[in-house]
Amino acid sequence: MDTHNSSDEDYMLVFVINQNKKPLMPCKPSKARNLLQAGKAKVVRNTPFTIKLFFGSSGYTQPVTAGMDTGSKVVSCAAIANGKVLYQSEIYLRENVSKKMQQRKMYRRTRRCKKTRYRSARFDNRGNSKKEGRLAPSIRSKLEAHFWEKRFVESLLPVTA
């Protein structure tokens, strides 16, 4: 049995983007429906449901705070304004990057062995492994997933903190 007393409308929001692709505060579905029927907006994305306005708006926004909880397998993200949660998500990070790199290495070895049987393996001619500040592909993949989610939230909401 559900003991939560508030209505479902508290959780449903439609994200709004102005003419210049800048995010505005989200609105209720009824307001978005009226804008769409009047031809003043168009649907940009279905999940999460986002509309783009055809007319100029004042651009007034409230302070929105976004936070990210990093993990080794799952990244959680949320955005809050006026004590209400506007956005929540979980991203499951890739765990097969190092396995794919090992497979690629194996394929490279077999190709090399077919062509020149007696050639020794050359470990020092990998330019990428000698770069300063280099990150391993598995770590870089996780880092890029964090930044991708951050940019995605900032494209939906006017994040201030």
Side-chain angles (χ1 to χ4, degrees), residues 4-17:
H4 192 63
N5 292 334
S6 69
S7 67
D8 287 339
E9 191 110 291
D10 291 343
Y11 301 105
M12 268 180 80
L13 290 173
V14 175
F15 296 103
V16 182
I17 297 172

Side-chain angles (χ1 to χ4, degrees), residues 83-95:
K84 287 190 176 183
V85 177
L86 300 178
Y87 177 84
Q88 275 184 324
S89 68
E90 279 187 347
I91 299 149
Y92 293 89
L93 299 172
R94 288 184 66 176
E95 296 179 37

Side-chain angles (χ1 to χ4, degrees), residues 15 19 28 31 51 57 72 81 116 123 125 131 137 156 159:
F15 296 103
Q19 284 178 313
K28 291 182 179 178
K31 171 95 172 172
I51 61 172
S57 62
S72 63
T116 54
F123 300 103
N125 66 352
K131 279 185 186 171
L156 292 176
V159 176

Side-chain angles (χ1 to χ4, degrees), residues 121-127 129-130:
R122 303 198 179 148
F123 300 103
D124 293 335
N125 66 352
R126 301 271 172 271
S129 60
K130 292 192 264 183

